[in-house]
Amino acid sequence: MSTPFSMEWKMITEGQEKRINTEDNIFEITFEGYKIFPIEEMIEIKRHPDADLIGSGKVVELTFKNQQTTCKYQLISLYSVN
C-alpha cells in the first residue's frame, strides 16, 4: 500500500509551532500525514489559510515518522507581531 504525501509551498501553522532556539529563530511543528516542503528555500508562513502572512522562513529539517511530518524551520522575516 502506498503512503500519500503532499507538496507544500507555504506553511500553515494553526498556532501549533514551538520555538526551539531563540537565538536563531528556529521553530518546530508537527503535521498529520506526510508533507514535503522545499528545503533551504524561502516560503510563506501563515497561522491560518485565510490569515495574513506571519512572515517568511526556510525549512531546515524534515522528519517523517508514524504518519506525521515534523518540520523545523527558521523564521527569517516577521511581517507583524501576532
Side-chain angles (χ1 to χ4, degrees):
M1 181 161 100
S2 64
T3 303
F5 72 90
S6 63
M7 182 72 174
E8 305 289 334
W9 296 97
K10 63 178 127 183
M11 187 177 301
I12 310 297
T13 67
E14 300 290 344
Q16 299 299 309
E17 70 277 10
K18 294 183 282 185
R19 185 183 297 251
I20 59 173
N21 181 320
T22 56
E23 188 172 305
D24 294 326
N25 276 335
I26 304 291
F27 292 81
E28 181 177 85
I29 186 167
T30 300
F31 297 102
E32 290 300 317
Y34 297 124
K35 295 178 182 268
I36 297 177
F37 295 90
I39 304 264
E40 298 293 331
E41 296 288 327
M42 295 296 282
I43 61 171
E44 296 177 349
I45 301 173
K46 294 179 158 189
R47 286 229 195 286
H48 305 286
D50 57 348
D52 291 334
L53 289 177
I54 295 171
S56 296
K58 61 182 178 178
V59 175
V60 295
E61 183 180 310
L62 289 173
T63 304
F64 306 105
K65 186 176 179 181
N66 298 326
Q67 301 292 320
Q68 294 182 325
T69 302
T70 301
C71 176
K72 291 182 184 174
Y73 67 93
Q74 181 178 25
L75 188 62
I76 302 295
S77 64
L78 184 65
Y79 295 147
S80 67
V81 186
N82 294 342

